[in-house]
Amino acid sequence: GKVLLGTEAGDLYVFKHDARPATIDGIAAAAGAPDLKTARGVWKASRAAVEKAHLVSKIELPAPIRSTPAVAGGVAYVMTEDTLY
């Protein structure tokens, strides 16, 4: 029921899996804004809505994550550039 996403910045994001997620398009919402400052505000608000709806956790690790996290036997394995967690 979770989606794991690792980044080269060393962040591991854990998202809720939803079989029928709502579509939130921040770029389309910001397209009708009268200026760049307003467009950025609309985009940030839509991004915050996505995080509130789907983000379970963000875990900061000390090294880049260059592989896909794996789950086996109920255990999540995350490999950074120099350590296996």
Side-chain angles (χ1 to χ4, degrees):
K2 306 286 186 270
V3 177
L4 304 174
L5 176 69
T7 69
E8 287 199 11
D11 298 326
L12 178 66
Y13 292 93
V14 181
F15 295 98
K16 289 186 251 180
H17 177 265
D18 189 354
R20 296 177 187 226
T23 301
I24 302 173
D25 189 349
I27 295 173
D35 58 24
L36 186 58
K37 185 176 181 180
T38 306
R40 283 185 182 149
V42 170
W43 182 80
K44 284 184 179 182
S46 67
R47 182 174 172 168
V50 169
E51 286 184 12
K52 184 177 180 183
H54 301 287
L55 184 64
V56 174
S57 180
K58 175 185 173 189
I59 302 165
E60 296 178 7
L61 298 172
I65 301 169
R66 300 196 191 270
S67 66
T68 304
V71 178
V75 178
Y77 295 94
V78 181
M79 185 174 68
T80 66
E81 199 167 68
D82 56 7
T83 307
L84 175 64
Y85 294 93

